[in-house]
Amino acid sequence: MRIQHNISLKNYNTFGIDVKARYFISVSTLLELTSVLQLEDYPNKLMLGGGSNMLLTKDLDALVIHINLKGAKIINEDANHAFVRASAGENWHEFVLWCLDNNFGGLENMSLIPGNVGTSPIQNIGAYGVELKDNFESCEALNRDTLEMEVFKNEDCHFGYRNSIFKNEVKGKYIIISVVFKLTKHTHQLHTNYGAITSQLEYMQIENPTIQDVSHAVIAIRQSKLPDPKKIGNSGSFFKNPVISIEAFEQLKQNFPKAPSYPISDSEVKVPAGWLIETAGFKGKTFGNYGVHNLQALVLVNYGGAKGQDILALSKLIQKTIYRIFNISIEAEVNIL
Ligand code: EPU
């Protein structure tokens, strides 16, 4: 176990921001993790997973602990389901592909989401009509105070839209070590109603799709409009889609009759932030080496060498402009560090 000094985090965050960690260590066993957590010489400790949901705006005067715990296996089965445990450091998409190779259904709509398994419950990742919570059985998390493992069942996690207990009540108190998923072995429940999936499957001329076909369709859609972080630095959706009251939406419609929305409840709707940002004129705008993606306005991009501070300033300008034009506040989805 070796702690490194002044390490660039450029390859550890999908935005590709080049800041330094004063101290850095990658841990691949639980024992290593608990030993590092007990080191008293490093009071500031910061956990790093896949680095896919963060914007780094400065050098980190901390011990950055990269969670690199690996492994995925079937831990239980019943007639219809497989219960699969994956370690926190497994790459999300590779894990989804492993499930599909085993013909386990449930995660296919979430193909190609960047990041690792261990951070997926924190923001209840989701795409194309499916969220992590739909297949989440439980997770094991290490209590940072007691260094004991605790189990969180689905209902314990208080999952919401890009939200969970790990972002609220117990923020920073636990490190997720592994996640158990409840997946179908046959009679898979396909979710193909999301507009883009239906048309993609038609385009692929597939009438009776398998879970593998749905995954291929999702991959094709994502590749067609979301930038590949390996080529262009980004953190996926930078903002959450705002939820507003029906009355506020009716008011919006008076000035913007074409404003899209998705129903949430009897009293609220979700408005796509991508539409607000595009309508405000930001889509495809570049500011030197950073900007707003030209195919999906929700995604801010680093074309190479951008500073986190610049991207943060752009995000604030977007928020302010959206508020001025539409009277709607949009909230960052990524964590700003
Ligand atoms: N739209 C625009 N302009 C844009 C982008 C979107 O007008 O530049 C409008 C269109 O009306 C479109 C609607 O927004 O019909 C919805 O767009 P899309 O289907 O691309 O979904 P989204 O709401 O923009 C959300 C998630 C994505 C996820 C997609 C598909 C959030 C914050 N984002 O985006 O998640 O892939 O749905 O399910 O909920 C992520 O979280 O990193 C992410 C990429």
Side-chain angles (χ1 to χ4, degrees), residues 9-22:
L9 295 177
K10 188 164 185 250
N11 294 327
Y12 290 95
N13 71 102
T14 60
F15 245 125
I17 305 288
D18 193 2
V19 297
K20 287 195 172 63
R22 181 143 180 220

Side-chain angles (χ1 to χ4, degrees), residues 156-180:
D156 301 330
C157 295
H158 304 168
F159 287 125
Y161 166 58
R162 296 294 193 276
N163 211 352
S164 77
I165 193 172
F166 301 107
K167 273 180 126 177
N168 296 292
E169 297 95 314
V170 299
K171 187 174 179 179
K173 291 209 163 99
Y174 289 89
I175 301 165
I176 296 172
I177 300 299
S178 64
V179 181
V180 178

Side-chain angles (χ1 to χ4, degrees), residues 55-66:
L55 176 65
L56 296 167
T57 60
K58 53 180 183 301
D59 289 340
L60 301 176
D61 186 13
L63 170 59
V64 172
I65 305 173
H66 176 232

